[in-house]
Amino acid sequence: MKVVQISKPGGNFEVVERPIPEPGRGQVRIKVEACGICHSDALVKEGMWPGLQYPRVPGHEIAGRIDKIGPDVTLWKPAQRVGVGWHGGHCFECEPCRRGDFVNCKFEKITAIHFDGGYQEYMVAPAEAVAAMPDDLPADEAAPLLCAGITVYNALRNSGAHSGELVAVQGIGGLGHLGIQYARQMGFRTVAIGRGADKQALVKKLGAHEYIDTNAGPPAEALQKLGGAKVILATAPDSKAMSALMDGVGANGKLLVVGAGFEPLTITPLQLISGRKAIQGWASGTARDSEDTLQYSSLTGVRPMIERFPLEKAADGYQQMISGKARFRVVLTMS
């Protein structure tokens, strides 16, 4: 089978041939139809995860079909349409797992970090990492929903905001363009926050009721003129821009962070105390959350905007993504 791998930290993408892997106990083999390219793939490409073993196959936005099941697998059947996301499995025995909080498992597996990901024609995954996929979702459109999609959908549905309340989405990119769609479909008064007047037509098409152009003035002031946000979903990994939004949060509201940056936020205790405001981070979710995301997207018509590349052109697709030129998600296709 054809595989795209990284042989060392900072190495190039290599197209190689490998034997088709066999699933072990509690595992399934998936014939990959599409795999999204995510910014987090840089963790593999650049060796940014401690202890990562090479060669390694990137990719944690995987859509395909069950090809073979290993011993003790009872839930999944051959030919079933499925996906695999960031969460690649859990131990079932640690304290978080015993409470059903699998995404915080102390021994969590991460797809493409602890086992090879989806930049290949066949891949093996733990059975508990697999999500069922609706028949009406094309594989190339479903793949980004298994990372970008679940991240914003799961964060919004657990945010505490109610229908009719003001929810702002900061950033109009790979996460944000999906966040706007989900927020509108959930019945929130949806406000998109971006840079440049040229984005207004797009965000209105995606479903935003209002658009705040940060070039036109402080976005926090604009949010307060609208009554203050119950939730601001911060998707762009720019800590300075996130911090500037805190004063736009309304009473008992929160800044909900899903954009993974490395710089500290600069927010004072007084900003939190006044109005009982909060900051919360949110990871993606489990395979069950992925199923919910896929089903909700199927029902409501939420879809990613994608650019397709063949598997052999993974290096070109990755460069398109990492350069920020993609509109908005890049997907590798196997056919």
Side-chain angles (χ1 to χ4, degrees):
M1 69 168 184
K2 195 172 295 180
V3 171
V4 176
Q5 68 180 25
I6 303 292
S7 292
K8 62 181 181 180
N12 295 322
F13 292 97
E14 303 168 355
V15 181
V16 301
E17 290 287 335
R18 288 189 192 176
I20 296 175
E22 289 294 322
R25 188 172 301 277
Q27 295 180 330
V28 301
R29 186 171 72 200
I30 297 170
K31 180 175 174 56
V32 180
E33 297 175 353
C35 182
I37 297 181
C38 178
H39 200 276
S40 297
D41 292 349
L43 297 173
V44 178
K45 177 71 166 62
E46 305 303 331
M48 299 165 66
W49 192 276
L52 184 60
Q53 297 181 354
Y54 291 87
R56 180 61 76 212
V57 178
H60 57 267
E61 299 180 348
I62 302 152
R65 292 181 182 271
I66 298 288
D67 179 67
K68 187 176 182 180
I69 60 173
D72 297 336
V73 175
T74 57
L75 180 60
W76 307 109
K77 307 297 180 186
Q80 199 169 354
R81 299 191 76 222
V82 296
V84 179
W86 173 265
H87 182 78
H90 40 273
C91 74
F92 294 97
E93 296 180 353
C94 68
E95 183 65 18
C97 281
R98 293 181 64 205
R99 295 185 181 277
D101 187 11
F102 299 125
V103 80
N104 285 315
C105 172
K106 293 180 179 179
F107 307 99
E108 179 190 21
K109 296 183 180 71
I110 297 172
T111 306
I113 298 292
H114 295 97
F115 55 90
D116 282 337
Y119 289 22
Q120 56 183 332
E121 293 178 311
Y122 293 86
M123 62 92 66
V124 170
E128 73 271 14
V130 176
M133 188 163 66
D135 288 336
D136 64 344
L137 272 180
D140 56 357
E141 294 184 354
L145 300 178
L146 291 155
C147 181
I150 181 180
T151 296
V152 293
Y153 169 76
N154 208 21
L156 285 171
R157 71 168 176 169
N158 288 287
S159 68
H162 298 143
S163 297
E165 292 184 315
L166 194 155
V167 170
V169 179
Q170 171 251 6
I172 306 161
L175 293 173
H177 89 287
L178 288 167
I180 293 166
Q181 294 179 69
Y182 285 125
R184 176 60 183 255
Q185 292 296 331
M186 291 178 183
F188 302 137
R189 183 185 176 194
T190 305
V191 178
I193 303 172
R195 183 182 295 113
D198 59 315
K199 295 183 174 66
Q200 182 159 355
L202 172 62
V203 300
K204 290 298 182 70
K205 182 179 179 180
L206 293 171
H209 296 96
E210 307 279 351
Y211 176 59
I212 294 175
D213 175 9
T214 58
N215 285 343
E221 291 182 11
L223 284 171
Q224 287 299 341
K225 288 179 180 178
L226 295 172
K230 180 66 175 181
V231 170
I232 300 176
L233 182 69
T235 72
D238 182 332
S239 297
K240 183 177 179 180
M242 289 182 189
S243 300
L245 293 173
M246 195 67 216
D247 285 335
V249 176
N252 299 305
K254 70 171 67 170
L255 178 66
L256 186 55
V257 178
V258 296
F262 294 97
E263 298 299 320
L265 298 173
T266 54
I267 293 167
T268 69
L270 188 59
Q271 286 177 286
L272 301 177
I273 293 169
S274 177
R276 292 189 304 209
K277 301 167 187 175
I279 304 171
Q280 183 180 11
W282 194 271
S284 56
T286 65
R288 180 64 254 189
D289 296 318
S290 288
E291 284 191 20
D292 292 345
T293 303
L294 294 169
Q295 290 168 0
Y296 189 85
S297 302
S298 173
L299 286 170
T300 60
V302 173
R303 297 291 188 275
M305 296 172 64
I306 60 175
E307 298 181 14
R308 301 170 183 84
F309 287 76
L311 178 62
E312 298 86 346
K313 298 291 185 180
D316 295 338
Y318 180 87
Q319 185 57 39
Q320 180 75 349
M321 178 279 302
I322 207 73
S323 69
K325 296 178 181 178
R327 293 293 180 266
F328 283 100
R329 304 295 293 188
V330 175
V331 178
L332 299 177
T333 57
M334 307 304 150
S335 59

